C-alpha cells in the first residue's frame, strides 16, 4: 500500500476546479444553537442518579474496508456505557494519527458527558479535529482544518430531542513557498472529488426520537480512498437516552458461538448475538436464531439461538441471558454433541447483593468416535490430535455471572478455541 496518494498534477487541478458552496454546517437550522451549547466547556457537576439510561461515545478516526492494515481500530475513543448518572465527563485525545494511504490527522479530541440542568437531562458527545492532511507532495499540501462533530440526546418536560451538528472551518491548499489558498468546502450534497484518488464528504447524520427515547449520531467527514477502496470515518459522535431505570442497571449479552482461530481460517466471530439494553427488555423476551452456522472442514452446527429478558421493578430487577446450539459435529463425526445451552439468571433486590445461578444450562447427547459419554466424563476429555473439551465453564462476577456451555480447544495444526453457548449478565445498583 502506498503511504501517500500520489496526487501529482491532480492535486493542483483539484485546487483549481473545486466549486462547492462555502457553507459546511449540517443539520436543521433550529438545532444549531442547541448543538453550539453542547460544544461549550462543561462545568463540574455532582453525580446524580436519575430514572434515565445514558450512553455516549465518540472517536477520531476509523478505517473501514479495502486494503487496510490490521491496526485500523478507532483512535481517541471515549465511551460512557450503561449509566443512569448525570455529572459524568470523560475525554480522550491524540496529538497525531497517521492514516495509511492518506496522510496525517492532528489534534484529535473526544469528549463525552451526561448533564442535568433546570430544563433537561442529556447525554452529549463532541469530537474535534484540528487538521486533516488529505494529501501532501512536492507540489503542495491539501488539508481540512477545524472539523467538529456533535451529537446530543436529551429529555425535557416537552419530550425527547435528538440534535446533531457537523462543522468544517476551512479547506486549504498550500503550494511550496506560496501563500495558503482557502478553497470551497464540501457539503452534504456536494462532496469534493479528486478523480481516481479520493472523495471527501460531510458525514451522515441520524436523529431519532420516540415517546421514551432519543438517539443522535453524526460523522464529521467520510473520506474514500479510491485506489484502495478504503473508507476513513473522521469524528464519529453518538449519544443516547431512554427512560425506565428503577432499581437496577443491566449489562449483558448472549451469543451461540464465538471462534478464535489461529491458522488464518476465517472464523464466525460471535453468532446470534443479543445485547441487553441498560434498562432491560421491558419484560419481553428478545431472541435471535439461525438454522446453522458452519466452519467449513472443521465444525457443523445445528440451530443456533440466543435470547434474553430483563425486568425492572421498584424493589427488584431480574433477568436472564441464554444461548444454545442444537447440535455440533466436529471432525466429520469425531465429536458429536446435542442440546448445548448456557444460561445465567440474575436477580437483585434494592440494597442487597445480586443472586446468581445457572439453572437451565445443559450439555447432552455426547458421542466421541461412536462411543457415548456422560457430562462428567466429557469435561476435560481430550481427543488426541483433534480437540480438548471443557463443559459448563462458569464464573461469578461482582454483579452477576457468565457461562460458556462448551469450550473446544482445537489441537494439531489447526489451533484456536471454539466457544458454544455463551451468556453473561450483570445487574448493578441504580442508586435510586
Amino acid at each position: 500500500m502506498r503511504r501517500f496518494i500520489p496526487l501529482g498534477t491532480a492535486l493542483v487541478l483539484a485546487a483549481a476546479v473545486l466549486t462547492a458552496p462555502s457553507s459546511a454546517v449540517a443539520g436543521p437550522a433550529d438545532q444549531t444553537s442547541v448543538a453550539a451549547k453542547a460544544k461549550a466547556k462543561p462545568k463540574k457537576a455532582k453525580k446524580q442518579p436519575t430514572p434515565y439510561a445514558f450512553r455516549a461515545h465518540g472517536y477520531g478516526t476509523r478505517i473501514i474496508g479495502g486494503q487496510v492494515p490490521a491496526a485500523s481500530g478507532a483512535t481517541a475513543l471515549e465511551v460512557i456505557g450503561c449509566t443512569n448518572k448525570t455529572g459524568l465527563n470523560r475525554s480522550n485525545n491524540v496529538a497525531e494519527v497517521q492514516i495509511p494511504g492518506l496522510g496525517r490527522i492532528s489534534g484529535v479530541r473526544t469528549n463525552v458527558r451526561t448533564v442535568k440542568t433546570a430544563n433537561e437531562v442529556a447525554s452529549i458527545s463532541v469530537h474535534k479535529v484540528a487538521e486533516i492532511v488529505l494529501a501532501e507532495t512536492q507540489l503542495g499540501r491539501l488539508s481540512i482544518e477545524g472539523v467538529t462533530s456533535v451529537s446530543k440526546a436529551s429529555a425535557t418536560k416537552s419530550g425527547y430531542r435528538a440534535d446533531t451538528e457537523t462543522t468544517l472551518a476551512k479547506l486549504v491548499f498550500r503550494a511550496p513557498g506560496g501563500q495558503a489558498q482557502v478553497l470551497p468546502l464540501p457539503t452534504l450534497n456536494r462532496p469534493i472529488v479528486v478523480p481516481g484518488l479520493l472523495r471527501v464528504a460531510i458525514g451522515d447524520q441520524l436523529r431519532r426520537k420516540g415517546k421514551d427515547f432519543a438517539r443522535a449520531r453524526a460523522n464529521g467527514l467520510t473520506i474514500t480512498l479510491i485506489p484502495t477502496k478504503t473508507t476513513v470515518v473522521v469524528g464519529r459522535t453518538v449519544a443516547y437516552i431512554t427512560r425506565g431505570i428503577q432499581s437496577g442497571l443491566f449489562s449483558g449479552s448472549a451469543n451461540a458461538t464465538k471462534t478464535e482461530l489461529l491458522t488464518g481460517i476465517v472464523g464466525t466471530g460471535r453468532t446470534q448475538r443479543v445485547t441487553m439494553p441498560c434498562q432491560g427488555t421491558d419484560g419481553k423476551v428478545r431472541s435471535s436464531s439461525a438454522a446453522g452456522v458452519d466452519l467449513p472442514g472443521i465444525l457443523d452446527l445445528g440451530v443456533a439461538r440466543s435470547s434474553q429478558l430483563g425486568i425492572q421493578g421498584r424493589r427488584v430487577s431480574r433477568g436472564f441471558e441464554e444461548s444454545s446450539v442444537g447440535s455440533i459435529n466436529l471432525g466429520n463425526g469425531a465429536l458429536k454433541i446435542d442440546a448445548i445451552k448456557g444460561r445465567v439468571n440474575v436477580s437483585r433486590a434494592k440494597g442487597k447483593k445480586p443472586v446468581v445461578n445457572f439453572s437451565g444450562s445443559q450439555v447432552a447427547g455426547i458421542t466421541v468416535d461412536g462411543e457415548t459419554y456422560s457430562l462428567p466424563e466429557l469435561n476435560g476429555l481430550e481427543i488426541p490430535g483433534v480437540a480438548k473439551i471443557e463443559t459448563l465453564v462458569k464464573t461469578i462476577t461482582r454483579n452477576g455471572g457468565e457461562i460458556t456451555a462448551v469450550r473446544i480447544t482445537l489441537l494439531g495444526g489447526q489451533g484456536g478455541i471454539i466457544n458454544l453457548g455463551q451468556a453473561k449478565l450483570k445487574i448493578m445498583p441504580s442508586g435510586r
Side-chain angles (χ1 to χ4, degrees):
M1 179 183 291
R2 299 164 181 152
R3 186 177 181 187
F4 290 99
I5 295 177
L7 290 180
T9 56
L11 178 59
V12 179
L13 177 62
V17 301
L18 296 175
T19 58
S22 59
S23 173
V25 177
D30 62 345
Q31 294 181 354
T32 302
S33 60
V34 176
K37 291 178 182 178
K39 289 186 287 185
K41 186 176 180 180
K43 298 179 181 179
K44 288 186 178 181
K46 181 180 178 181
K47 296 180 176 63
Q48 301 180 62
T50 74
Y52 298 94
F54 304 101
R55 293 199 306 270
H57 75 265
Y59 58 75
T61 62
R62 186 184 178 203
I63 304 174
I64 303 172
Q67 303 168 25
V68 299
S72 58
T75 61
L77 174 66
E78 191 56 83
V79 177
I80 292 177
C82 173
T83 184
N84 69 324
K85 291 182 179 180
T86 57
L88 301 180
N89 183 17
R90 298 171 185 169
S91 296
N92 192 5
N93 61 82
V94 176
E96 187 171 284
V97 180
Q98 191 70 42
I99 302 298
L102 180 60
R104 66 181 181 275
I105 299 179
S106 58
V108 182
R109 180 178 177 82
T110 301
N111 174 258
V112 291
R113 60 190 188 270
T114 59
V115 300
K116 180 178 181 180
T117 69
N119 301 316
E120 66 177 2
V121 291
S123 61
I124 301 170
S125 176
V126 180
H127 189 85
K128 297 181 180 180
V129 176
E131 181 183 36
I132 304 171
V133 177
L134 298 175
E136 187 172 19
T137 73
Q138 61 183 359
L139 297 176
R141 184 176 71 180
L142 183 64
S143 64
I144 292 179
E145 299 179 3
V147 180
T148 301
S149 172
V150 180
S151 294
K152 178 179 178 181
S154 58
T156 67
K157 292 181 179 180
S158 59
Y160 289 80
R161 286 182 58 97
D163 302 291
T164 59
E165 183 182 74
T166 298
T167 58
L168 311 180
K170 55 185 175 180
L171 174 66
V172 181
F173 174 69
R174 290 180 174 86
Q179 188 174 1
Q181 180 183 0
V182 178
L183 306 171
L185 288 162
T187 64
L188 281 172
N189 300 318
R190 191 73 179 274
I192 290 173
V193 178
V194 179
L197 298 174
L198 57 82
R199 180 180 184 272
V200 182
I202 293 286
D204 64 304
Q205 300 184 44
L206 178 147
R207 294 178 292 273
R208 291 180 180 171
K209 63 179 182 178
K211 65 178 182 178
D212 59 358
F213 81 96
R215 182 179 181 222
R217 185 197 70 200
N219 293 330
L221 287 174
T222 301
I223 303 172
T224 303
L225 309 179
I226 297 173
T228 61
K229 298 180 181 179
T230 300
T231 298
V232 182
V233 176
V234 179
R236 162 69 69 93
T237 56
V238 178
Y240 178 84
I241 185 173
T242 188
R243 192 174 177 88
I245 301 299
Q246 296 187 67
S247 60
L249 295 169
F250 288 82
S251 175
S253 64
N255 47 273
T257 70
K258 179 186 177 184
T259 61
E260 303 168 10
L261 302 182
L262 308 179
T263 59
I265 301 173
V266 177
T268 62
R270 291 181 174 90
T271 62
Q272 308 317 123
R273 180 176 173 84
V274 292
T275 302
M276 180 71 73
C278 186
Q279 72 278 12
T281 64
D282 196 26
K284 300 176 182 178
V285 176
R286 301 188 348 172
S287 302
S288 175
S289 61
V293 180
D294 300 334
L295 290 176
I298 300 179
L299 184 68
D300 298 322
L301 300 179
V303 175
R305 178 182 174 86
S306 297
S307 58
Q308 61 187 184
L309 171 71
I311 301 174
Q312 282 274 355
R314 293 182 62 185
R315 303 293 304 176
V316 178
S317 291
R318 61 183 177 86
F320 71 81
E321 293 280 0
E322 178 184 288
S323 62
S324 62
V325 178
S327 63
I328 69 164
N329 184 334
L330 176 67
N332 294 320
L335 171 66
K336 296 180 180 179
I337 306 176
D338 295 324
I340 299 169
K341 182 189 294 184
R343 174 168 171 145
V344 56
N345 310 284
V346 181
S347 65
R348 183 164 200 150
K350 191 173 182 179
K352 297 184 178 181
K353 294 182 179 180
V355 177
V356 183
N357 67 67
F358 302 94
S359 298
S361 302
Q362 67 175 22
V363 179
I366 306 155
T367 304
V368 179
D369 289 330
E371 185 175 349
T372 301
Y373 287 80
S374 65
L375 182 58
E377 294 174 314
L378 178 67
N379 195 40
L381 178 69
E382 182 173 322
I383 305 172
V386 178
K388 177 183 176 181
I389 300 116
E390 299 171 84
T391 61
L392 302 182
V393 181
K394 307 171 186 175
T395 303
I396 298 293
T397 61
R398 182 178 179 183
N399 292 296
E402 56 186 79
I403 185 171
T404 298
V406 175
R407 177 172 293 153
I408 302 173
T409 302
L410 300 177
L411 305 176
Q414 296 175 335
I417 297 174
I418 300 172
N419 295 296
L420 304 169
Q422 288 191 310
K424 59 182 179 180
L425 179 61
K426 297 178 181 180
I427 303 179
M428 295 162 286
S430 69
R432 302 185 69 238

